[in-house]
Amino acid sequence: MATSTPTATTTSRSLRGSETEKNLLRAFVGESQARNRYDLMAGKAKKEGFVQIMKTFEETAQQESEHAKRLYSLLQGCDLELPGEHFGGPSIGSTRDNLAAAVGGEDHEVAVMYPTFANIADTEGFPEVATVFRAIMMAEKYHSARFAMFLRLIDEGRIFRRDGKIYWRCLNCGYIHEGDMPPEKCPACDHPRGYFEPLDFPREMRISFP
């Protein structure tokens, strides 16, 4: 009979009683909370006229949901208690405040949480889990950079302005406008300026990967 080879969705031995099992639960809870929190922040961004930021929060929420699903699949089911641990988060504020909170949360995951969890998984003999932790960490690095970009552009008053001509795309109908800022209303679909996104994000994000 052929023997199965462990994959990234299973571990070669039981996680029961390990610190890695607890860390998977901690990460699952954190990603699940982030998913719902970003949906709420998306609603706030829409109310404030930042449609491009709304869509970024919505997309990131979906990605956090995928992280949570992956982490839960690795748990192989669980019945754990984590006494004394607090699972909270920031209140929903202005879009600027929400972006700052999102950057702080993502940066913590990139600099502290996921590297620590991955190292513990390696030490305990769960390399498959460590690989997943590090892969999710890379996604969180991108999330942080994108949120930080929007935060900086708000602080600089450049969400809908650039120093030179660039292309802007209407998120509602796809119309392309060239200029240092988008039109007050889209000439194609009549949606307001808030629906335009600049097409220079790769330059503005200022991110590098190893």
Side-chain angles (χ1 to χ4, degrees):
M1 177 185 292
T3 58
S4 61
T5 301
T7 68
T9 58
T10 61
T11 57
S12 54
R13 62 190 185 85
S14 176
L15 289 159
R16 293 292 183 269
S18 67
E19 190 65 22
T20 295
E21 183 186 30
K22 294 177 183 178
N23 288 339
L24 280 167
L25 180 58
R26 291 177 179 114
F28 168 73
V29 171
E31 298 289 347
S32 300
Q33 287 186 326
R35 181 254 187 277
N36 289 289
R37 190 159 54 243
Y38 289 158
D39 270 343
L40 293 172
M41 291 177 175
K44 184 66 173 181
K46 184 177 183 181
K47 287 180 181 178
E48 294 184 354
F50 299 119
V51 177
Q52 57 183 315
I53 299 177
M54 175 200 76
K55 288 183 176 292
T56 297
F57 275 127
E58 289 177 340
E59 178 183 85
T60 309
Q62 180 58 38
Q63 291 169 356
E64 304 293 22
S65 177
E66 293 303 314
H67 296 167
K69 291 176 186 176
R70 188 77 161 94
L71 294 163
Y72 197 76
S73 72
L74 289 167
L75 271 170
Q76 306 165 354
C78 69
D79 183 17
L80 287 174
E81 290 185 9
L82 299 173
E85 298 199 25
H86 171 69
F87 296 98
S91 59
I92 305 302
S94 68
T95 296
R96 190 208 174 279
D97 291 342
N98 293 339
L99 287 167
V103 170
E106 300 287 352
D107 283 351
H108 172 75
E109 291 181 347
V110 171
V112 179
M113 190 182 87
Y114 279 120
T116 300
F117 288 179
N119 290 339
I120 291 172
D122 278 332
T123 299
E124 291 187 326
F126 302 111
E128 303 97 332
V129 178
T131 295
V132 172
F133 281 146
R134 292 189 175 104
I136 292 176
M137 180 184 72
M138 295 301 290
E140 308 299 10
K141 183 176 182 180
Y142 177 80
H143 294 168
S144 173
R146 193 157 62 157
F147 289 141
M149 173 195 68
F150 283 121
L151 178 60
R152 176 171 51 81
L153 292 174
I154 285 179
D155 286 345
E156 294 173 355
R158 297 200 304 124
I159 283 288
F160 299 115
R161 180 182 60 79
R162 293 293 188 271
D163 294 331
K165 285 186 176 182
I166 66 166
Y167 289 106
W168 304 80
R169 182 171 71 98
C170 175
L171 291 166
N172 184 63
C173 74
Y175 170 77
I176 300 296
H177 172 82
E178 184 180 15
D180 59 356
M181 61 191 304
E184 254 186 64
K185 288 189 176 183
C186 176
C189 68
D190 204 37
H191 275 59
R193 177 174 290 159
Y195 278 81
F196 278 85
E197 69 169 354
L199 299 182
D200 64 345
F201 280 165
R203 182 182 68 199
E204 290 287 351
M205 279 186 61
R206 303 176 186 177
I207 185 174
S208 61
F209 290 98

